Amino acid sequence: MEPTPLEPLPEDWERALCVVAHPDDLEFGAAAAIARWTGQGKHIVYCMVTSGEAGIDGIAPEECRPLREAEQIESARLVGVDEVEFLGFTDGIVEYGVPLRAAIAQVVRRHRPEIVITGNFRDTFGGRNLNQADHIAVGRAVLDAVRDAGNRWIFHDQLVDGLEPWGGVQAVWAANSPGAEHGVDTTDTFDAGVASLAAHAAYIEGLGWEGWDPEEFLEGFARPTGQRLGVAKAAPFEVFPMGWGD
């Protein structure tokens, strides 16, 4: 059976906020799309819920935290993103709940994006391998926090020093979701996405994947996705509209 064609994502927006659980989450597929958008002059901010400090078995969290933050900042720079925030939640045990929603809502209110991008938060990536718990918690919280951010009476203690509610998010886009029905042409920015992933050198080394190649890995996803979009390479996204009746 032929794979379902993808629809191109709209690009008539100027500001986006990316909220994911860990450094490296965006680089496993979405970074090439972000490079495309920053190349169009769009302003994009990264927000990491954790610092990925539990991600390298051979390095203790207190030593790993600044290393992974530095790699993420450099990785973002390579795709045109110069603002990266870390919320400081504990890696590996992020829980969906009010504190997480509040923290993300505050970031949304400060940056006032039109689009919010997160990672796949479905139970799997389309097969039997289970998704990681932090990814699921953060993605669910992003959906709710975006709506919270527009309600003056939710987390109203945040509304000080000129901070106001923000209900201007048009949609949340979840990268690499098995439910993706949209895609982004990354043919011209694929190499930037590879460089962005390769910048997580300590993390990749810590995974212990002998002979693993970032370009080969990303190409294995980008080419089949590109076929569904009618281009050479692409990144898939599931769209969650934030309006009523969509």
Side-chain angles (χ1 to χ4, degrees), residues 147-229:
R147 289 175 289 192
D148 295 336
N151 188 324
R152 180 174 302 278
W153 307 115
I154 298 178
F155 310 132
H156 59 274
D157 58 308
Q158 296 177 356
L159 304 180
V160 295
D161 299 327
L163 192 66
E164 290 291 333
W166 176 248
V169 177
Q170 300 166 13
V172 173
W173 296 347
N176 300 321
S177 171
E181 296 180 343
H182 291 76
V184 178
D185 184 355
T186 59
T187 305
D188 294 337
T189 54
F190 177 77
D191 289 345
V194 172
S196 189
L197 177 55
H200 294 275
Y203 175 67
I204 292 170
E205 182 180 356
L207 293 174
W209 294 345
E210 185 175 352
W212 187 80
D213 179 77
E215 181 175 6
E216 182 180 15
F217 177 86
L218 291 174
E219 192 166 25
F221 293 98
R223 285 200 178 277
T225 305
Q227 290 178 351
R228 295 176 64 191
L229 191 63

Side-chain angles (χ1 to χ4, degrees), residues 15 25 42 52 70 79 85 93 114 127 141 156 162 168 186 202-203 216:
R15 301 183 312 280
D25 284 353
K42 303 183 192 303
V79 292
E85 298 186 12
I93 55 171
E114 298 159 82
H156 59 274
T186 59
Y203 175 67
E216 182 180 15

Side-chain angles (χ1 to χ4, degrees), residues 12-174:
D12 57 345
W13 50 273
E14 295 298 327
R15 301 183 312 280
L17 171 68
C18 301
V19 183
V20 292
H22 316 106
D24 80 76
D25 284 353
L26 291 166
E27 284 67 52
F28 279 93
I34 291 163
R36 172 187 172 93
W37 294 324
T38 59
Q40 296 170 347
K42 303 183 192 303
H43 179 70
I44 300 180
V45 174
Y46 280 7
C47 175
M48 308 289 127
V49 170
T50 79
S51 295
E53 67 275 9
I56 303 177
D57 184 69
I59 304 178
E62 59 271 18
E63 181 183 353
C64 187
R65 182 178 292 105
L67 175 61
R68 297 214 64 200
E69 289 182 357
E71 287 190 339
Q72 181 60 72
I73 291 168
E74 172 61 11
S75 177
R77 185 191 68 79
L78 292 170
V79 292
V81 175
D82 58 11
E83 190 170 357
V84 183
E85 298 186 12
F86 300 90
L87 297 184
F89 283 74
T90 303
D91 185 18
I93 55 171
V94 177
E95 293 183 299
Y96 171 85
V98 171
L100 181 58
R101 284 170 50 190
I104 297 172
Q106 200 265 358
V107 176
V108 171
R109 286 168 167 171
R110 282 193 289 108
H111 292 289
R112 303 171 74 82
E114 298 159 82
I115 299 296
V116 173
I117 297 163
T118 191
N120 172 37
F121 56 92
R122 299 298 189 182
D123 289 342
T124 73
F125 282 88
R128 293 188 176 184
N129 291 331
L130 295 175
N131 200 350
Q132 200 265 353
D134 288 356
H135 299 161
I136 296 171
V138 169
R140 287 182 56 208
V142 165
L143 290 182
D144 290 333
V146 164
R147 289 175 289 192
D148 295 336
N151 188 324
R152 180 174 302 278
W153 307 115
I154 298 178
F155 310 132
H156 59 274
D157 58 308
Q158 296 177 356
L159 304 180
V160 295
D161 299 327
L163 192 66
E164 290 291 333
W166 176 248
V169 177
Q170 300 166 13
V172 173
W173 296 347

